[in-house]
Amino acid sequence: MKVLFSGPVDVSSGTVVIFAFDQCKLGVRGKNVDRKIGGAVSSAMKSSKFQGKLGQCISILAPANIKLDRIVVFGLGKERNLDRNGLELLGSKVFQQLDTDQIKTAVLYIEDINNKEVNIDDSGPQIAFGAKLSSYRFEKYKNLRKSETQTRPKSITIQLKKANKAREKFKILDKIVDGVFLTRDLVSEPANILYPESLANRCKSLTKLGIKVEILSKAQMQKKGMGALLGVAQGSIREPRMVIMEWNGAKNTSKKKQVHPIAFVGKGVTFDTGGISLKPAGGMEDMKWDMGGAGVVIGLMSALAGRKAKINAVGVIGLVENMPGGNAQRPGDVVSSMSGKTIEVLNTDAEGRLVLADALHYTNERFEPKFMINLATLTGAIIIALGNEHAGMFSNNDQLSARLAECGNEIGEKVWRMPLSKAYDKMIDCDIADMKNISGGRGAGSITAAQFLQRFVGNTPWAHLDIAGVTWSSKSRPTVPKGGTAFGVRLLERLVKKYYEGK
Ligand code: BES
Ligand code: ZN
Ligand code: ZN
């Protein structure tokens, strides 16, 4: 769907969207429309019990003697309560209404949203952002009939006074949309199409945004001693890859002073059968999105580079397929990670931590980042603990975790901090190697997984987001259609913008 911006001019055909505050308070342009159609808006508001609550909507067919087709009225709620999130929600409702009514294009009279607390320059772009986010569909494998696609909303035109300014603002938001959509595309892709090599190849397309993309082959990883990651990969005929994406957007203050980048690390298991510790058949198809962490890192890098963020950021993803092939690793095997630490693999289904062990160590050693945030669909246990509402957050740094929690609440990708401690760490001590990859007990599965990761991050400020419960959604939410959510892209984009950019 396209978003266009223009100055306020009354349109005389097609669909017009107008807005009313609480208690049916129409703005100047809304009132004009109402007058033109003989008070049909006012009477429809009355008879339908429309009150102007946020997101409330009535869709009115224009009377026969009027050239307009349809007038859609949206409630804004109370002036003082309207904020960015409300506008975003509104945008998604507008899209959904147009979709339901099978309206291809519509004009939105935005400047009626004249609120002291909402900057008028922002309300247009913010509504457009919400509309666009909710317009996502993954349909590349569907042979759609023309009748199904022709009725979709194709464009919305946002009318307001400072159209140029709004257009510029939306351009930035649209880069975030691009990142979110890229992540959703990758997460939705089936594993016969998306495997380590093909996923790495897709990352190459980021070079057109100015990102430096480097791909490590299996041989290169062998040379570096990434035995933990390679152990997972050896049961599949698909070769593993590691992708390093660098965005250098910070101003070069002094050449001598090397600016430490911020780093994002993702679990990219393109399919997780469990390996020899095979998963049960029911629901195994979900494991195509076990590369969700990597997907977020890719989308985030795209968003940051797309909007030319003034920051040096690096994204590292470990890509493997976890299969039970003839050469697969066995329960009881001992592998040696790049850090030199040895691991007894007691369960081949606890593979994400093995991949991340090498990815985190490599990132830390090579880039000495200011902080590292890793994302992973790491444990089923986090779904038991937090369901689908919060991602689990584990961190060795109070400031970083407070910031993450705050940004998550602001944009609606919420994280909940979970504990780490020596006692939990002890649970993965091992008799014959430095550690084992599962605790063996039934409790604290997400925590012991996080403790495992912590053994590979040294003293670098670090946060681990266990996104197993929030990466895929079986129900639609306003700006997040069902399927791949891209949870994490907007959260981390906000974190960078609010706390680290240009600093
Ligand atoms: N990819 C899974 C975790 C997962 C489960 C993600 C459900 C999304 C939805 C992970 O590799 C895994 O299998 N973890 C095991 C760990 C166990 C063997 C200690 C789990 O959670 O059961
Ligand atoms: Zn697994
Ligand atoms: Zn997994």
Side-chain angles (χ1 to χ4, degrees):
M1 188 186 64
K2 262 200 183 147
V3 179
L4 306 164
F5 289 85
S6 92
V9 274
D10 282 349
V11 292
S12 51
S13 63
T15 296
V16 165
V17 181
I18 61 174
F19 299 91
F21 280 107
D22 195 32
Q23 297 179 339
C24 302
K25 270 182 276 172
L26 288 171
V28 176
R29 303 203 65 204
K31 277 184 187 154
N32 265 339
V33 173
D34 190 27
R35 201 172 310 126
K36 258 192 205 155
I37 60 172
V41 173
S42 301
S43 60
M45 290 199 291
K46 244 185 226 156
S47 58
S48 68
K49 299 200 177 89
F50 177 88
Q51 293 164 312
K53 287 199 175 130
L54 182 66
Q56 221 184 354
C57 167
I58 35 175
S59 185
I60 308 163
L61 289 170
N65 56 339
I66 302 287
K67 279 200 187 134
L68 284 175
D69 295 331
R70 201 187 271 268
I71 298 96
V72 184
V73 192
F74 269 95
L76 298 168
K78 289 201 168 62
E79 281 94 332
R80 65 185 135 85
N81 291 343
L82 191 58
D83 59 9
R84 282 218 166 77
N85 287 339
L87 290 165
E88 202 180 294
L89 174 80
L90 204 63
S92 78
K93 297 255 176 183
V94 169
F95 173 83
Q96 279 153 25
Q97 190 63 40
L98 299 180
D99 199 24
T100 312
D101 288 346
Q102 306 196 342
I103 296 165
K104 275 203 266 186
T105 90
V107 177
L108 281 62
Y109 287 177
I110 293 290
E111 84 271 21
D112 276 353
I113 309 176
N114 214 341
N115 179 306
K116 281 177 212 119
E117 282 151 81
V118 182
N119 187 341
I120 191 72
D121 293 340
D122 249 340
S123 51
Q126 207 63 30
I127 285 183
F129 187 48
K132 196 119 189 232
L133 283 172
S134 68
S135 74
Y136 179 82
R137 304 283 181 273
F138 184 77
E139 296 176 324
K140 72 187 265 204
Y141 298 113
K142 276 180 94 153
N143 286 304
L144 291 166
R145 271 169 278 131
K146 257 202 169 163
S147 60
E148 288 172 287
T149 54
Q150 264 178 351
T151 53
R152 298 269 173 81
K154 292 279 177 316
S155 75
I156 52 172
T157 302
I158 306 273
Q159 278 199 3
L160 33 60
K161 278 186 193 129
K162 292 179 183 163
N164 289 337
K165 229 176 166 184
R167 191 181 299 116
E168 289 308 306
K169 279 209 166 165
F170 180 70
K171 263 190 200 158
I172 295 171
L173 293 177
D174 209 19
K175 300 299 174 189
I176 301 172
V177 172
D178 288 346
V180 167
F181 284 12
L182 175 57
T183 302
R184 288 180 185 171
D185 279 347
L186 294 173
V187 163
S188 309
E189 202 66 79
N192 60 328
I193 305 292
L194 204 74
Y195 45 89
E197 192 184 352
S198 63
L199 181 47
N201 283 338
R202 289 224 193 168
C203 295
K204 281 187 198 158
S205 71
L206 295 180
T207 50
K208 65 175 186 282
L209 296 173
I211 295 175
K212 199 177 127 203
V213 181
E214 195 182 328
I215 300 173
L216 299 187
S217 67
K218 180 179 162 191
Q220 285 169 308
M221 288 190 276
Q222 278 169 332
K223 231 173 154 185
K224 293 188 193 306
M226 296 184 175
L229 182 150
L230 291 165
V232 178
Q234 76 188 35
S236 168
I237 56 160
R238 306 286 195 192
E239 275 199 7
R241 292 288 184 270
M242 185 170 286
V243 184
I244 300 107
M245 295 160 273
E246 283 177 78
W247 166 250
N248 292 314
K251 279 195 209 108
N252 249 341
T253 36
S254 88
K255 273 182 196 152
K256 264 192 185 166
K257 205 177 107 197
Q258 195 217 333
V259 193
H260 294 275
I262 57 175
F264 303 98
V265 179
K267 166 179 172 180
V269 177
T270 57
F271 197 82
D272 180 13
T273 64
I276 296 300
S277 313
L278 196 63
K279 285 183 182 295
M284 203 204 273
E285 66 278 9
D286 281 351
M287 288 302 108
K288 75 170 183 181
W289 47 263
D290 208 21
M291 38 55 70
V296 171
V297 171
I298 297 166
L300 174 67
M301 294 302 290
S302 157
L304 292 176
R307 70 165 180 77
K308 302 215 166 8
K310 292 183 189 61
I311 184 97
N312 291 348
V314 44
V316 176
I317 53 178
L319 306 176
V320 300
E321 187 181 53
N322 189 21
M323 297 287 277
N327 192 42
Q329 67 181 344
R330 295 142 292 253
D333 282 5
V334 174
V335 294
S336 187
S337 69
M338 184 187 174
S339 72
K341 293 179 177 139
T342 56
I343 305 156
E344 187 184 18
V345 180
L346 290 179
N347 188 317
T348 64
D349 195 13
E351 85 297 341
R353 62 199 77 180
L354 297 169
V355 173
L356 285 172
D358 282 335
L360 285 165
H361 177 80
Y362 174 76
T363 306
N364 201 21
E365 196 172 63
R366 174 166 168 190
F367 294 102
E368 296 175 6
K370 217 178 288 174
F371 66 71
M372 285 198 286
I373 296 176
N374 76 259
L375 301 107
T377 49
L378 203 63
T379 65
I382 202 68
I383 311 176
I384 305 299
L386 299 174
N388 311 107
E389 300 304 321
H390 286 83
M393 170 170 67
F394 302 82
S395 180
N396 59 6
N397 188 287
D398 290 345
Q399 187 188 56
L400 184 59
S401 38
R403 289 174 172 182
L404 278 164
E406 180 188 283
C407 293
N409 287 336
E410 281 170 12
I411 58 105
E413 290 178 352
K414 291 176 285 181
V415 300
W416 194 263
R417 192 172 182 185
M418 304 279 285
L420 292 167
S421 77
K422 272 208 176 116
Y424 289 120
D425 181 70
K426 227 172 152 284
M427 290 164 74
I428 51 168
D429 281 345
C430 175
D431 290 339
I432 69 155
D434 296 331
M435 69 196 87
K436 49 192 180 185
N437 79 328
I438 56 165
S439 75
R442 276 160 46 90
S446 301
I447 305 175
T448 49
Q451 293 290 168
F452 185 96
L453 300 184
Q454 196 180 3
R455 291 190 180 204
F456 297 89
V457 301
N459 294 320
T460 304
W462 155 80
H464 150 53
L465 301 181
D466 193 335
I467 55 172
V470 293
T471 293
W472 192 264
S473 178
S474 51
K475 68 166 200 240
S476 272
R477 303 177 197 219
T479 51
V480 189
K482 67 177 176 190
T485 64
F487 182 109
V489 175
R490 294 187 55 200
L491 163 65
L492 297 176
E493 192 280 329
R494 168 67 62 99
L495 178 83
V496 171
K497 168 124 196 131
K498 191 164 182 183
Y499 287 110
Y500 299 98
E501 212 171 327
K503 295 203 171 93

